[in-house]
Amino acid sequence: MNMNLPADVSKIINILESNGHEAYAVGGCVRDCILGKVPHDWDITTSALPETVKSYFDRTFDTGIEHGTVTVLLHGVGYEVTTYRVDGKYEDGRHPKEVTFTASLEEDLKRRDFTINAMAYNDSKGLVDLFGGKEDLEAGIIRAVGNPTERFTEDALRMLRALRFSAQLGFEIEPETYKAICELAPTLDRISAERIQVEMVKLVTSDHPERLREVYNTGLSKVFFPELNVMMECEQNNKHHMYTVGEHAIKAMELSPADKVIRLTMMLHDVAKPACKTTDDKGQNHFKMHPVKGAEMARDVLRRLKFDNDTTDKVCNLVKNHDDRPEINERNVRRMIIRVGKENFEDLLAVKRADTLAQSMYHRDEKLAYIDELEQMYKSIIAAGDCLKIKDLQINGKDLIDMGVPQGQRIGEILKAVFDEVVDNPKLNNRDYLLNRVKDMLQ
Ligand code: ATP
Ligand code: MG
């Protein structure tokens, strides 16, 4: 087996080897190369101790030196070089209590999570594959290295990682590994929200976001996202729908672009439907106000998972507006763009399309035609350069002060009043007109 290592990776390995150490590319990069994908980073594992690694290179950082990791910087790219190690006991199912360095590559590979992630390669030794990783890669299988129950007891996050890799690669989880996940799912509660978030983002932005279903089926979602369980168990009984709330959300994720904000929005857009469900006398369900309530619930979920404010605000805004359907005319759409934010409007169109495509065929063509029309109107408003923010007005606070309006709240009120008029009639955004208009208002 021959892999094409980047020149700088070969260089690091050669320097370590020529000084009498062992060194290999390892983990994700080996897996991705065998799959014919371009690895996004290269990790190196070596028998050399961290201080020794540092002595061979001009530019290094102590990224995780207590765990044996040094970053070597070559041509502006960082390579993580980690000393062979054995992880100590994971007493809290979270962090290894201590790591011990070892001289054995085998020991280092044994501590890794899945067979497909436990391969090493260098040009002199070729592929080192002690657990059948290549075979599993070819068969499309995620299998724990060694005994899955033991491995998930050491670090419970590995259970969610198994689903994340199955989503990224489109692989199946080997039955014993899957069974262990189902049994140990409740122990995911020991894992920090930040680590869960990382894996969830990778899963939902993958080619197979429908594997979210397995996060539910295995019992993992119950620990950190019980709202998903409620969604998966909520029937819709409504002519617009043919799936449960949860299955509809999953379909909508599959039908949307693989963008973090959009996929999280599709996952959460109907999160409040179960809570807002009412049944009419014909047996049809309705979900009044679910977008507004949904934005609140989405905020709870995203806060719990420690998402940053920017992501959280964007997703909640899209959830809140996902079902807005004003009659299409310039005034309404201009107001809608202002409400949603110009910078979010294209995301909202993507959200609306995915939502529609994941519904029943009932009125589908009309729904899609409406979204097309909304998009056309949005584009023409943007192209016209219409005023969409107070800042876009041809007058500002300073003009008002020059006209004798005292500094303070009044300025904002006047500008807001003028802005409201301009939004309904963009032709009025003319400096002379607006100055006169303000004069009238001040009379
Ligand atoms: P990605 O392409 O997402 O970076 P990756 O396989 O490189 O995938 P990382 O999380 O970057 O995944 O981890 C690098 C390597 O470290 C893995 O391939 C695996 O060998 C090992 N590893 C990472 N996390 C764990 C863990 N929780 N338990 C055991 N081994 C792990
Ligand atoms: Mg990686």
Side-chain angles (χ1 to χ4, degrees):
M1 235 229 47
N2 227 316
M3 270 169 47
N4 250 333
L5 298 180
D8 284 340
V9 173
S10 293
K11 186 169 161 186
I12 294 170
I13 292 173
N14 287 339
I15 289 175
L16 289 162
E17 283 187 322
S18 62
N19 281 284
H21 309 285
E22 295 176 14
Y24 296 84
V26 71
C29 58
V30 177
R31 176 198 69 218
D32 289 347
C33 273
I34 297 175
L35 287 171
K37 295 187 188 171
V38 180
H40 57 82
D41 48 26
W42 290 83
D43 295 327
I44 292 159
T45 187
T46 179
S47 58
L49 291 170
E51 291 301 328
T52 314
V53 172
K54 283 168 71 174
S55 70
Y56 301 132
F57 302 95
D58 294 338
R59 302 197 61 191
T60 65
F61 300 98
D62 292 0
T63 347
I65 196 139
E66 68 282 12
H67 300 110
T69 304
V70 170
T71 297
V72 173
L73 197 71
L74 291 178
H75 299 110
V77 179
Y79 300 90
E80 290 200 348
V81 182
T82 304
T83 305
Y84 292 168
R85 65 178 214 220
V86 190
D87 293 343
K89 270 211 177 341
Y90 284 74
E91 289 191 334
D92 57 357
R94 226 181 303 185
H95 307 291
K97 201 174 149 226
E98 74 275 295
V99 304
T100 321
F101 298 135
T102 166
S104 153
L105 173 64
E106 178 174 356
E107 290 295 322
D108 183 83
L109 294 177
K110 251 195 211 162
R111 70 163 172 97
R112 294 174 183 272
D113 47 10
F114 304 109
T115 60
I116 60 167
N117 288 344
M119 291 180 279
Y121 173 88
N122 68 23
D123 288 330
S124 49
K125 296 281 162 56
L127 185 71
V128 180
D129 175 16
L130 306 175
F131 312 104
K134 187 155 181 277
E135 201 178 308
D136 283 344
L137 207 49
E138 278 154 8
I141 293 172
I142 310 286
R143 183 197 311 269
V145 173
N147 179 311
T149 302
E150 283 171 21
R151 305 312 311 285
F152 298 151
T153 306
E154 287 168 358
D155 179 4
L157 185 73
R158 290 172 186 156
M159 299 187 282
L160 190 56
R161 283 173 63 83
L163 299 188
R164 180 267 270 199
F165 285 114
S166 93
Q168 287 182 318
L169 301 168
F171 283 15
E172 295 308 318
I173 298 175
E174 174 275 323
E176 289 301 311
T177 301
Y178 190 87
K179 206 171 108 208
I181 297 175
C182 296
E183 280 165 14
L184 292 170
T187 65
L188 188 71
D189 69 353
R190 292 179 230 175
I191 300 299
S192 74
E194 290 84 352
R195 293 181 79 202
I196 291 176
Q197 185 210 118
V198 169
E199 301 303 327
M200 280 300 287
V201 167
K202 289 184 176 180
L203 187 152
V204 303
T205 56
S206 71
D207 283 350
H208 295 278
E210 77 280 4
R211 298 296 165 104
L212 181 65
R213 193 181 291 124
E214 296 303 324
V215 180
Y216 164 73
N217 285 336
T218 51
L220 288 170
S221 59
K222 199 153 184 215
V223 176
F224 65 93
F225 182 20
E227 293 87 347
L228 178 64
N229 295 53
V230 178
M231 284 161 59
M232 296 299 292
E233 289 152 22
C234 180
E235 294 292 339
Q236 305 221 55
N237 297 326
N238 175 295
K239 57 188 179 305
H240 293 280
H241 285 279
M242 51 188 181
Y243 302 115
T244 61
V245 174
E247 282 297 333
H248 162 70
I250 288 171
K251 265 275 167 294
M253 290 169 80
E254 289 185 84
L255 293 163
S256 66
D259 168 85
K260 174 164 107 171
V261 165
I262 293 177
R263 287 276 174 89
L264 289 171
T265 301
M266 297 335 296
M267 179 173 89
L268 292 164
H269 74 288
D270 281 347
V271 66
K273 271 193 168 178
C276 295
K277 181 161 135 173
T278 55
T279 308
D280 67 19
D281 46 17
K282 293 186 195 86
Q284 285 263 308
N285 289 146
H286 301 277
F287 308 93
K288 296 222 170 66
M289 298 295 286
H290 78 274
V292 172
K293 173 91 175 133
E296 287 167 24
M297 290 179 69
R299 192 168 291 277
D300 288 343
V301 173
L302 297 170
R303 283 254 167 86
R304 190 185 307 142
L305 291 179
K306 302 267 163 60
F307 275 91
D308 59 277
N309 291 337
D310 181 54
T311 305
T312 305
D313 290 345
K314 280 185 174 147
V315 171
C316 294
N317 179 38
L318 291 169
V319 170
K320 189 172 169 186
N321 289 292
H322 81 268
D323 209 24
D324 266 11
R325 275 165 284 136
E327 188 196 320
I328 294 184
N329 60 48
E330 285 199 17
R331 291 170 71 168
N332 285 350
V333 176
R334 235 182 264 122
R335 293 216 172 264
M336 188 179 185
I337 298 171
I338 292 166
R339 206 161 51 241
V340 175
K342 181 170 134 183
E343 62 287 354
N344 303 314
F345 206 84
E346 293 192 12
D347 283 354
L348 183 67
L349 292 167
V351 165
K352 282 179 162 295
R353 289 201 168 97
D355 186 10
T356 303
L357 293 171
Q359 295 175 4
S360 69
M361 290 306 290
Y362 179 77
H363 286 187
R364 176 173 294 185
D365 291 345
E366 291 88 329
K367 291 175 189 173
L368 291 174
Y370 172 88
I371 300 168
D372 289 344
E373 212 186 314
L374 184 61
E375 180 168 36
Q376 287 315 314
M377 184 64 82
Y378 159 76
K379 284 188 170 156
S380 76
I381 288 169
I382 297 301
D386 288 355
C387 173
L388 295 169
K389 290 196 212 86
I390 289 193
K391 276 207 160 77
D392 298 337
L393 286 173
Q394 292 293 325
I395 57 169
N396 60 30
K398 182 161 179 308
D399 295 316
L400 301 197
I401 290 167
D402 292 348
M403 291 166 79
V405 183
Q407 229 145 2
Q409 210 177 322
R410 187 80 186 112
I411 303 234
E413 287 167 6
I414 295 175
L415 288 176
K416 176 75 173 63
V418 171
F419 176 69
D420 274 337
E421 291 179 18
V422 168
V423 170
D424 286 343
N425 186 357
K427 288 199 195 76
L428 302 183
N429 195 15
N430 160 300
R431 189 168 165 80
D432 290 340
Y433 172 83
L434 292 179
L435 290 173
N436 279 318
R437 182 77 187 92
V438 173
K439 249 181 232 155
D440 287 348
M441 289 166 85
L442 292 173
Q443 295 289 297

